[in-house]
Amino acid sequence: MKKFSLLALFSLAAAFSFNAQAADRVGDFFLIDDEGKGHQLSKYAFNKAVVIVSQQNGCTDNQQNIARYKQLRTNFDHRGVSFVMLNASDEDSREDIIAEEAVWNYDLPIMDDDSQLVAESLGIEKAGQVVVVDPERMSVLYRGPMPAQWARAPLGEVLEAILADGADSRDMETVNVDMETAEGCAVEFPARDAHLADVPDYETEVAPILIERCTGCHVEGGIGPFAMNSHMMIQGWSPMIKEVIMTNRMPPMQVDPTVKTWVNSGNFPIEERQTLIHWINAGSPRN
Ligand code: HEC
């Protein structure tokens, strides 16, 4: 009896410390960059790490660190680390981003996070922030500034740790380093803040989007593999619904026979994606 309870205690302690130390998780995502190229996080899984630099037009922290980004990339890209930027500003259009790149020559793909949903999931709060992700385990290993001398800073330590022989990011925690907000680098998340204060209503806000965009196929007898016919059903499928929206898989692309080209049949508006994802993040509540 005593032996049994000791064992239970040990496994409880192990479970607890695992949870307490596990790195922050992110879901898979798909975004288009300034050159029209797609980036899906899971497709980087052959790499040890992806370094994502949060970018916003006019952010002095970005503009002053260009040489450091390039130096960091030169040091790590041949060791299995990919480098991308992510524009999470709700004010910078794709054209604005292309124009900024033409002036500053970051020479890195700039993913356009037009709905801000990826930045939110990565825990980005400011432009200039550097986020290191393990694309295989989908965990965040570092979130903080681009230091002047990365080798002697937490950023360099984290990269060396994940690149070390036999490294396993499951043994690593997220290293968070505070940073000042430089001029032009405060990222506002108006939709997230509004939805946190006032969670989207299932009947009047969420269901109408699903009816408009999804139930053409996801009905009883439809071609979709499940019917979105009750709150319980939708709540149960919420993790999958979130994934297919974040990876841009649903609504599906379709070939338009008249123009013989791929068109995104859904043309899913930003506000609708934010409403759905923020509702799911809140636990897919009925009211
Ligand atoms: C044109 C028809 C169509 C529309 C519109 C559509 N779906 Fe689907 N959906 C499918 C089909 C077919 C599948 C199964 C094949 C697949 O996974 O691609 C599917 C699969 C899914 C899955 C399961 C994915 C998996 O990997 O098992 C989810 C979740 C989903 N859809 C959500 C949605 C959401 C949310 C919308 C609306 C925003 C939507 N679908 C709109 C046809 C559609």
Side-chain angles (χ1 to χ4, degrees):
M1 188 63 200
K2 192 169 179 214
K3 198 172 167 195
F4 177 75
S5 58
L6 250 179
L7 204 76
L9 200 71
F10 274 127
S11 52
L12 229 165
F16 176 74
S17 68
F18 176 78
N19 280 333
Q21 287 173 10
D24 299 349
R25 310 290 306 216
V26 286
D28 199 8
F29 61 78
F30 176 91
L31 290 174
I32 309 270
D33 71 20
D34 55 316
E35 294 185 338
K37 231 185 99 201
H39 298 261
Q40 184 156 355
L41 182 61
S42 56
K43 300 254 163 78
Y44 282 98
F46 61 91
N47 276 346
K48 291 281 183 66
V50 180
V51 173
I52 301 171
V53 180
S54 164
Q55 183 269 343
Q56 176 164 279
N57 291 1
C59 166
T60 54
D61 193 288
N62 286 140
Q63 295 164 352
Q64 288 164 1
N65 278 320
I66 295 172
R68 291 178 187 158
Y69 301 148
K70 290 181 179 174
Q71 198 193 11
L72 190 74
R73 182 180 58 182
T74 304
N75 273 275
F76 285 101
D77 64 355
H78 61 282
R79 297 176 65 191
V81 179
S82 287
F83 289 80
V84 284
M85 293 184 115
L86 177 140
N87 182 299
S89 167
D90 68 327
E91 307 219 315
D92 301 341
S93 68
R94 186 79 51 85
E95 290 71 35
D96 296 337
I97 298 170
I98 293 168
E100 180 89 350
E101 166 63 17
V103 172
W104 292 95
N105 185 27
Y106 287 109
D107 194 23
L108 289 169
I110 307 177
M111 304 185 295
D112 182 8
D113 185 16
D114 59 357
S115 67
Q116 304 189 296
L117 292 167
V118 174
E120 291 170 17
S121 76
L122 290 168
I124 286 171
E125 290 292 339
K126 299 164 184 175
Q129 227 168 359
V130 177
V131 181
V132 178
V133 177
D134 173 349
E136 194 186 352
R137 304 239 173 267
M138 303 262 176
S139 51
V140 176
L141 305 179
Y142 174 85
R143 208 184 273 121
M146 176 72 230
Q149 294 189 307
W150 47 263
R152 271 180 256 141
L155 174 58
E157 287 164 15
V158 167
L159 285 171
E160 290 298 346
I162 187 67
L163 291 171
D165 276 348
D168 187 337
S169 70
R170 279 175 295 192
D171 304 329
M172 296 169 70
E173 296 173 46
T174 306
V175 174
N176 280 300
V177 181
D178 285 343
M179 58 190 287
E180 308 255 309
T181 308
E183 198 190 320
C185 304
V187 182
E188 310 287 341
F189 291 92
R192 175 194 64 185
D193 296 346
H195 286 152
L196 277 175
D198 191 5
V199 175
D201 180 64
Y202 171 67
E203 260 172 50
T204 59
E205 294 175 81
V206 174
I209 299 172
L210 298 175
I211 290 166
E212 163 98 27
R213 309 275 168 206
C214 317
T215 57
C217 302
H218 290 274
V219 279
E220 222 77 65
I223 65 164
F226 65 101
M228 296 185 189
N229 55 10
S230 69
H231 171 262
M232 232 172 71
M233 196 71 172
I234 293 158
Q235 189 176 45
W237 278 88
S238 281
M240 284 301 299
I241 292 175
K242 179 173 174 176
E243 189 181 320
V244 296
I245 291 172
M246 296 299 286
T247 55
N248 207 21
R249 273 182 53 210
M250 290 286 149
M253 305 270 278
Q254 283 179 326
V255 176
D256 180 335
T258 59
V259 288
K260 291 202 170 64
T261 179
W262 290 91
V263 291
N264 196 326
S265 59
N267 188 24
F268 209 171
I270 291 171
E271 296 74 24
E272 296 187 9
R273 280 182 277 151
Q274 291 169 329
T275 298
L276 285 185
I277 298 298
H278 292 154
W279 176 74
I280 291 171
N281 288 348
S284 312
R286 172 102 221 198
N287 284 307

